[in-house]
Amino acid sequence: MHGQYAAFLGGTETFGKFVEEPFPALVEAQIGLPCINLGWPNAGLDVMVQDSAIMGVAAGAAVTVLQVPGAQSLSNRFYSVHPRRNDRFVEASPFLRAIYPDVDFTDFHFVRHLLCHLYDLSPDRFALVREELQAAWVVRMMQLLRRIDGPVLLLWMSPQAIPTSSDDPRNVSTPALVTRAMLDAVTGSAVRLVDATLSSGALSAGRAGMIYSEFEAHIAAEVPGPAAHDEVALRLAPLMVRFA
């Protein structure tokens, strides 16, 4: 039996870094359904799938909102990531070393930095890495969704519309390397895609209303502010009110 609450899974945006009231709290205020924010800064699919506590809460929810994660921050045949901080690069596999014998992998600590370097060296060779990441993302997403025994709203929260192709890991404004076809592959009768592409108005608000130190200003500039969270909550609330 499902509990009378909603679970929110996702990364930095769901967590609401630098935002006093992230969108899960705003949805709760609008529809009256308790909303448990399980957002994790820099989380990828691995930390969600491997954390039994997170999955236990999601499995018992009346509805789960899952922010679409990028495809770069998960362990795969080419490299492994830190099990808790999925944005951290741990080790290259022999397969990746064979494709890129000209790379010293000890120079890299973050996945995005690594992937951007590999792409810049050779877009042709990087195509092999991209295909592996995209295939692994679909498989891992299906594993996660099978463990959630209830309806799921798959949330696209991005400054850019859902792309038909995604080849360049340097594009930091969308879930990296995720495409429309990948999302279609994991949606179904119990999984609904919610397109909450952010408006120009929300984006132009920038850091207005955010809480951060001077040292954190450059980081705050890269994450959605309160106006974006307001927009996402308004998009989600009408879809979730029936579970309240």
Side-chain angles (χ1 to χ4, degrees):
M1 183 171 178
H2 295 118
Q4 292 302 304
Y5 65 88
F8 286 73
L9 279 63
T12 301
E13 293 80 10
T14 299
F15 175 79
K17 193 172 181 67
F18 308 125
V19 177
E20 185 174 7
E21 287 191 293
F23 64 84
L26 297 173
V27 170
E28 179 174 302
Q30 291 177 36
I31 68 174
L33 180 70
C35 294
I36 301 176
N37 189 343
L38 301 170
W40 191 297
N42 301 309
L45 275 169
D46 282 7
V47 73
M48 299 181 202
V49 172
Q50 295 171 11
D51 192 302
S52 59
I54 289 177
M55 295 310 304
V57 174
V63 59
T64 297
V65 177
L66 171 59
Q67 179 194 353
V68 175
Q72 82 282 11
S73 299
L74 52 80
S75 292
N76 55 86
R77 290 188 304 163
F78 288 141
Y79 61 82
S80 57
V81 301
H82 191 280
R84 307 298 288 179
R85 301 193 61 178
N86 296 165
D87 60 327
R88 298 295 184 97
F89 168 71
V90 174
E91 186 178 19
S93 74
F95 296 109
L96 187 58
R97 294 179 187 277
I99 297 172
Y100 284 95
D102 47 341
V103 174
D104 181 358
F105 290 97
T106 61
D107 291 340
F108 300 96
H109 302 287
F110 291 92
V111 171
R112 192 177 293 279
H113 182 204
L114 168 67
L115 295 183
C116 290
H117 181 71
L118 299 183
Y119 180 87
D120 290 340
L121 274 180
S122 172
D124 289 339
R125 284 185 284 170
F126 182 78
L128 298 173
V129 179
R130 185 195 72 243
E131 290 168 5
E132 165 65 16
L133 293 178
Q134 291 175 330
W137 184 93
V138 171
V139 171
R140 207 74 46 86
M141 276 289 288
M142 294 299 292
Q143 291 174 346
L144 186 151
L145 293 168
R146 280 196 294 267
R147 295 178 61 186
I148 300 175
D149 183 25
V152 176
L153 300 178
L154 191 58
L155 175 66
W156 178 268
M157 181 181 181
S158 171
Q160 295 187 4
I162 302 170
T164 56
S165 64
S166 185
D167 303 326
D168 190 343
R170 294 172 299 188
N171 188 350
V172 299
S173 63
T174 60
L177 305 176
V178 176
T179 67
R180 169 72 68 175
M182 293 163 64
L183 294 171
D184 288 344
V186 300
T187 55
S189 58
V191 182
R192 175 176 176 178
L193 177 63
V194 179
D195 186 348
T197 301
L198 302 177
S199 72
S200 58
L203 297 174
S204 64
R207 295 178 295 193
M210 299 178 77
I211 303 168
Y212 56 89
S213 67
E214 184 178 348
F215 176 75
E216 297 169 318
H218 68 290
I219 304 174
E222 297 180 354
V223 298
H229 283 263
D230 287 343
E231 257 189 18
V232 172
L234 288 172
R235 182 74 179 86
L236 286 171
L239 303 176
M240 298 177 63
V241 69
R242 68 186 181 92
F243 298 103

PDB file of all heavy atoms in Angstrom, residues 213-237:
ATOM      1  N   SER A 213      26.973  32.780  -0.590  1.00  0.00           N
ATOM      2  CA  SER A 213      28.059  33.652  -0.176  1.00  0.00           C
ATOM      3  C   SER A 213      28.759  34.217  -1.407  1.00  0.00           C
ATOM      4  O   SER A 213      28.549  33.737  -2.527  1.00  0.00           O
ATOM      5  CB  SER A 213      29.071  32.868   0.667  1.00  0.00           C
ATOM      6  OG  SER A 213      29.725  31.895  -0.125  1.00  0.00           O
ATOM      7  N   GLU A 214      29.575  35.221  -1.215  1.00  0.00           N
ATOM      8  CA  GLU A 214      30.329  35.796  -2.335  1.00  0.00           C
ATOM      9  C   GLU A 214      31.209  34.739  -2.991  1.00  0.00           C
ATOM     10  O   GLU A 214      31.371  34.718  -4.213  1.00  0.00           O
ATOM     11  CB  GLU A 214      31.176  36.963  -1.832  1.00  0.00           C
ATOM     12  CG  GLU A 214      31.937  37.692  -2.932  1.00  0.00           C
ATOM     13  CD  GLU A 214      32.736  38.874  -2.408  1.00  0.00           C
ATOM     14  OE1 GLU A 214      32.525  39.266  -1.244  1.00  0.00           O
ATOM     15  OE2 GLU A 214      33.558  39.409  -3.175  1.00  0.00           O
ATOM     16  N   PHE A 215      31.742  33.846  -2.192  1.00  0.00           N
ATOM     17  CA  PHE A 215      32.595  32.771  -2.701  1.00  0.00           C
ATOM     18  C   PHE A 215      31.809  31.822  -3.609  1.00  0.00           C
ATOM     19  O   PHE A 215      32.372  31.214  -4.525  1.00  0.00           O
ATOM     20  CB  PHE A 215      33.198  32.004  -1.523  1.00  0.00           C
ATOM     21  CG  PHE A 215      34.029  30.818  -1.920  1.00  0.00           C
ATOM     22  CD1 PHE A 215      35.307  30.972  -2.442  1.00  0.00           C
ATOM     23  CD2 PHE A 215      33.525  29.534  -1.777  1.00  0.00           C
ATOM     24  CE1 PHE A 215      36.069  29.872  -2.814  1.00  0.00           C
ATOM     25  CE2 PHE A 215      34.280  28.427  -2.147  1.00  0.00           C
ATOM     26  CZ  PHE A 215      35.563  28.602  -2.663  1.00  0.00           C
ATOM     27  N   GLU A 216      30.494  31.692  -3.362  1.00  0.00           N
ATOM     28  CA  GLU A 216      29.664  30.740  -4.102  1.00  0.00           C
ATOM     29  C   GLU A 216      28.938  31.369  -5.289  1.00  0.00           C
ATOM     30  O   GLU A 216      28.180  30.687  -5.977  1.00  0.00           O
ATOM     31  CB  GLU A 216      28.619  30.137  -3.160  1.00  0.00           C
ATOM     32  CG  GLU A 216      29.196  29.334  -2.018  1.00  0.00           C
ATOM     33  CD  GLU A 216      28.142  28.982  -0.977  1.00  0.00           C
ATOM     34  OE1 GLU A 216      27.324  29.871  -0.652  1.00  0.00           O
ATOM     35  OE2 GLU A 216      28.143  27.825  -0.500  1.00  0.00           O
ATOM     36  N   ALA A 217      29.168  32.658  -5.544  1.00  0.00           N
ATOM     37  CA  ALA A 217      28.402  33.369  -6.568  1.00  0.00           C
ATOM     38  C   ALA A 217      28.512  32.710  -7.942  1.00  0.00           C
ATOM     39  O   ALA A 217      27.518  32.607  -8.672  1.00  0.00           O
ATOM     40  CB  ALA A 217      28.858  34.819  -6.640  1.00  0.00           C
ATOM     41  N   HIS A 218      29.702  32.261  -8.320  1.00  0.00           N
ATOM     42  CA  HIS A 218      29.871  31.665  -9.653  1.00  0.00           C
ATOM     43  C   HIS A 218      29.148  30.328  -9.757  1.00  0.00           C
ATOM     44  O   HIS A 218      28.684  29.942 -10.841  1.00  0.00           O
ATOM     45  CB  HIS A 218      31.362  31.490  -9.966  1.00  0.00           C
ATOM     46  CG  HIS A 218      32.049  30.461  -9.135  1.00  0.00           C
ATOM     47  ND1 HIS A 218      32.309  30.637  -7.781  1.00  0.00           N
ATOM     48  CD2 HIS A 218      32.538  29.228  -9.455  1.00  0.00           C
ATOM     49  CE1 HIS A 218      32.928  29.564  -7.312  1.00  0.00           C
ATOM     50  NE2 HIS A 218      33.069  28.697  -8.295  1.00  0.00           N
ATOM     51  N   ILE A 219      29.015  29.619  -8.635  1.00  0.00           N
ATOM     52  CA  ILE A 219      28.275  28.343  -8.645  1.00  0.00           C
ATOM     53  C   ILE A 219      26.779  28.621  -8.722  1.00  0.00           C
ATOM     54  O   ILE A 219      26.045  27.965  -9.462  1.00  0.00           O
ATOM     55  CB  ILE A 219      28.605  27.521  -7.386  1.00  0.00           C
ATOM     56  CG1 ILE A 219      30.112  27.288  -7.261  1.00  0.00           C
ATOM     57  CG2 ILE A 219      27.866  26.189  -7.417  1.00  0.00           C
ATOM     58  CD1 ILE A 219      30.525  26.616  -5.978  1.00  0.00           C
ATOM     59  N   ALA A 220      26.337  29.630  -7.954  1.00  0.00           N
ATOM     60  CA  ALA A 220      24.916  29.974  -7.949  1.00  0.00           C
ATOM     61  C   ALA A 220      24.434  30.393  -9.331  1.00  0.00           C
ATOM     62  O   ALA A 220      23.274  30.157  -9.689  1.00  0.00           O
ATOM     63  CB  ALA A 220      24.659  31.085  -6.934  1.00  0.00           C
ATOM     64  N   ALA A 221      25.307  30.992 -10.115  1.00  0.00           N
ATOM     65  CA  ALA A 221      24.933  31.451 -11.445  1.00  0.00           C
ATOM     66  C   ALA A 221      24.602  30.288 -12.383  1.00  0.00           C
ATOM     67  O   ALA A 221      23.974  30.487 -13.424  1.00  0.00           O
ATOM     68  CB  ALA A 221      26.050  32.299 -12.040  1.00  0.00           C
ATOM     69  N   GLU A 222      25.006  29.073 -12.026  1.00  0.00           N
ATOM     70  CA  GLU A 222      24.824  27.920 -12.901  1.00  0.00           C
ATOM     71  C   GLU A 222      23.603  27.076 -12.548  1.00  0.00           C
ATOM     72  O   GLU A 222      23.320  26.092 -13.224  1.00  0.00           O
ATOM     73  CB  GLU A 222      26.081  27.041 -12.874  1.00  0.00           C
ATOM     74  CG  GLU A 222      27.329  27.745 -13.409  1.00  0.00           C
ATOM     75  CD  GLU A 222      28.559  26.862 -13.367  1.00  0.00           C
ATOM     76  OE1 GLU A 222      28.465  25.739 -12.817  1.00  0.00           O
ATOM     77  OE2 GLU A 222      29.613  27.279 -13.879  1.00  0.00           O
ATOM     78  N   VAL A 223      22.895  27.415 -11.474  1.00  0.00           N
ATOM     79  CA  VAL A 223      21.738  26.612 -11.068  1.00  0.00           C
ATOM     80  C   VAL A 223      20.476  27.476 -11.108  1.00  0.00           C
ATOM     81  O   VAL A 223      20.543  28.695 -10.988  1.00  0.00           O
ATOM     82  CB  VAL A 223      21.931  26.002  -9.661  1.00  0.00           C
ATOM     83  CG1 VAL A 223      23.126  25.068  -9.643  1.00  0.00           C
ATOM     84  CG2 VAL A 223      22.103  27.094  -8.611  1.00  0.00           C
ATOM     85  N   PRO A 224      19.307  26.852 -11.270  1.00  0.00           N
ATOM     86  CA  PRO A 224      18.057  27.620 -11.357  1.00  0.00           C
ATOM     87  C   PRO A 224      17.739  28.354 -10.064  1.00  0.00           C
ATOM     88  O   PRO A 224      17.971  27.842  -8.964  1.00  0.00           O
ATOM     89  CB  PRO A 224      17.003  26.543 -11.650  1.00  0.00           C
ATOM     90  CG  PRO A 224      17.765  25.375 -12.168  1.00  0.00           C
ATOM     91  CD  PRO A 224      19.092  25.415 -11.489  1.00  0.00           C
ATOM     92  N   GLY A 225      17.188  29.546 -10.199  1.00  0.00           N
ATOM     93  CA  GLY A 225      16.802  30.341  -9.052  1.00  0.00           C
ATOM     94  C   GLY A 225      15.343  30.157  -8.676  1.00  0.00           C
ATOM     95  O   GLY A 225      14.637  29.312  -9.251  1.00  0.00           O
ATOM     96  N   PRO A 226      14.847  30.945  -7.721  1.00  0.00           N
ATOM     97  CA  PRO A 226      13.461  30.813  -7.253  1.00  0.00           C
ATOM     98  C   PRO A 226      12.419  30.926  -8.362  1.00  0.00           C
ATOM     99  O   PRO A 226      11.399  30.222  -8.323  1.00  0.00           O
ATOM    100  CB  PRO A 226      13.330  31.957  -6.249  1.00  0.00           C
ATOM    101  CG  PRO A 226      14.718  32.163  -5.735  1.00  0.00           C
ATOM    102  CD  PRO A 226      15.611  31.921  -6.915  1.00  0.00           C
ATOM    103  N   ALA A 227      12.641  31.799  -9.349  1.00  0.00           N
ATOM    104  CA  ALA A 227      11.657  31.948 -10.434  1.00  0.00           C
ATOM    105  C   ALA A 227      11.501  30.644 -11.210  1.00  0.00           C
ATOM    106  O   ALA A 227      10.388  30.269 -11.605  1.00  0.00           O
ATOM    107  CB  ALA A 227      12.072  33.082 -11.372  1.00  0.00           C
ATOM    108  N   ALA A 228      12.608  29.938 -11.425  1.00  0.00           N
ATOM    109  CA  ALA A 228      12.553  28.654 -12.125  1.00  0.00           C
ATOM    110  C   ALA A 228      11.817  27.612 -11.281  1.00  0.00           C
ATOM    111  O   ALA A 228      11.010  26.824 -11.798  1.00  0.00           O
ATOM    112  CB  ALA A 228      13.962  28.181 -12.455  1.00  0.00           C
ATOM    113  N   HIS A 229      12.084  27.604  -9.978  1.00  0.00           N
ATOM    114  CA  HIS A 229      11.407  26.650  -9.091  1.00  0.00           C
ATOM    115  C   HIS A 229       9.909  26.932  -9.040  1.00  0.00           C
ATOM    116  O   HIS A 229       9.096  25.996  -8.994  1.00  0.00           O
ATOM    117  CB  HIS A 229      12.035  26.705  -7.702  1.00  0.00           C
ATOM    118  CG  HIS A 229      13.341  25.995  -7.615  1.00  0.00           C
ATOM    119  ND1 HIS A 229      13.469  24.706  -7.148  1.00  0.00           N
ATOM    120  CD2 HIS A 229      14.594  26.387  -7.963  1.00  0.00           C
ATOM    121  CE1 HIS A 229      14.744  24.334  -7.195  1.00  0.00           C
ATOM    122  NE2 HIS A 229      15.442  25.337  -7.696  1.00  0.00           N
ATOM    123  N   ASP A 230       9.530  28.208  -9.056  1.00  0.00           N
ATOM    124  CA  ASP A 230       8.109  28.562  -9.097  1.00  0.00           C
ATOM    125  C   ASP A 230       7.449  27.983 -10.348  1.00  0.00           C
ATOM    126  O   ASP A 230       6.342  27.428 -10.293  1.00  0.00           O
ATOM    127  CB  ASP A 230       7.942  30.087  -9.096  1.00  0.00           C
ATOM    128  CG  ASP A 230       8.251  30.710  -7.748  1.00  0.00           C
ATOM    129  OD1 ASP A 230       8.284  29.984  -6.737  1.00  0.00           O
ATOM    130  OD2 ASP A 230       8.471  31.938  -7.706  1.00  0.00           O
ATOM    131  N   GLU A 231       8.127  28.118 -11.478  1.00  0.00           N
ATOM    132  CA  GLU A 231       7.587  27.622 -12.748  1.00  0.00           C
ATOM    133  C   GLU A 231       7.390  26.115 -12.721  1.00  0.00           C
ATOM    134  O   GLU A 231       6.360  25.599 -13.158  1.00  0.00           O
ATOM    135  CB  GLU A 231       8.554  27.976 -13.887  1.00  0.00           C
ATOM    136  CG  GLU A 231       8.107  29.123 -14.713  1.00  0.00           C
ATOM    137  CD  GLU A 231       8.973  29.316 -15.952  1.00  0.00           C
ATOM    138  OE1 GLU A 231       9.704  28.412 -16.380  1.00  0.00           O
ATOM    139  OE2 GLU A 231       8.888  30.424 -16.477  1.00  0.00           O
ATOM    140  N   VAL A 232       8.391  25.411 -12.223  1.00  0.00           N
ATOM    141  CA  VAL A 232       8.312  23.946 -12.194  1.00  0.00           C
ATOM    142  C   VAL A 232       7.188  23.494 -11.271  1.00  0.00           C
ATOM    143  O   VAL A 232       6.430  22.565 -11.594  1.00  0.00           O
ATOM    144  CB  VAL A 232       9.663  23.352 -11.765  1.00  0.00           C
ATOM    145  CG1 VAL A 232       9.538  21.846 -11.539  1.00  0.00           C
ATOM    146  CG2 VAL A 232      10.727  23.630 -12.820  1.00  0.00           C
ATOM    147  N   ALA A 233       7.051  24.140 -10.118  1.00  0.00           N
ATOM    148  CA  ALA A 233       5.985  23.779  -9.184  1.00  0.00           C
ATOM    149  C   ALA A 233       4.610  23.991  -9.818  1.00  0.00           C
ATOM    150  O   ALA A 233       3.700  23.155  -9.669  1.00  0.00           O
ATOM    151  CB  ALA A 233       6.107  24.599  -7.905  1.00  0.00           C
ATOM    152  N   LEU A 234       4.447  25.084 -10.550  1.00  0.00           N
ATOM    153  CA  LEU A 234       3.170  25.349 -11.220  1.00  0.00           C
ATOM    154  C   LEU A 234       2.886  24.322 -12.310  1.00  0.00           C
ATOM    155  O   LEU A 234       1.723  24.026 -12.603  1.00  0.00           O
ATOM    156  CB  LEU A 234       3.183  26.760 -11.819  1.00  0.00           C
ATOM    157  CG  LEU A 234       3.105  27.909 -10.802  1.00  0.00           C
ATOM    158  CD1 LEU A 234       3.318  29.252 -11.497  1.00  0.00           C
ATOM    159  CD2 LEU A 234       1.755  27.896 -10.084  1.00  0.00           C
ATOM    160  N   ARG A 235       3.923  23.791 -12.903  1.00  0.00           N
ATOM    161  CA  ARG A 235       3.755  22.757 -13.940  1.00  0.00           C
ATOM    162  C   ARG A 235       3.380  21.415 -13.298  1.00  0.00           C
ATOM    163  O   ARG A 235       2.563  20.667 -13.852  1.00  0.00           O
ATOM    164  CB  ARG A 235       5.054  22.626 -14.736  1.00  0.00           C
ATOM    165  CG  ARG A 235       5.018  21.616 -15.873  1.00  0.00           C
ATOM    166  CD  ARG A 235       4.211  22.130 -17.047  1.00  0.00           C
ATOM    167  NE  ARG A 235       4.190  21.167 -18.137  1.00  0.00           N
ATOM    168  CZ  ARG A 235       3.320  20.152 -18.240  1.00  0.00           C
ATOM    169  NH1 ARG A 235       2.384  19.977 -17.326  1.00  0.00           N
ATOM    170  NH2 ARG A 235       3.371  19.331 -19.281  1.00  0.00           N
ATOM    171  N   LEU A 236       3.967  21.107 -12.148  1.00  0.00           N
ATOM    172  CA  LEU A 236       3.753  19.813 -11.524  1.00  0.00           C
ATOM    173  C   LEU A 236       2.449  19.733 -10.711  1.00  0.00           C
ATOM    174  O   LEU A 236       1.787  18.692 -10.703  1.00  0.00           O
ATOM    175  CB  LEU A 236       4.927  19.476 -10.590  1.00  0.00           C
ATOM    176  CG  LEU A 236       6.241  19.079 -11.234  1.00  0.00           C
ATOM    177  CD1 LEU A 236       7.345  19.000 -10.181  1.00  0.00           C
ATOM    178  CD2 LEU A 236       6.118  17.736 -11.943  1.00  0.00           C
ATOM    179  N   ALA A 237       2.121  20.806 -10.027  1.00  0.00           N
ATOM    180  CA  ALA A 237       1.004  20.754  -9.066  1.00  0.00           C
ATOM    181  C   ALA A 237      -0.296  20.244  -9.669  1.00  0.00           C
ATOM    182  O   ALA A 237      -0.950  19.364  -9.074  1.00  0.00           O
ATOM    183  CB  ALA A 237       0.809  22.123  -8.424  1.00  0.00           C
TER     184      ALA A 237
END
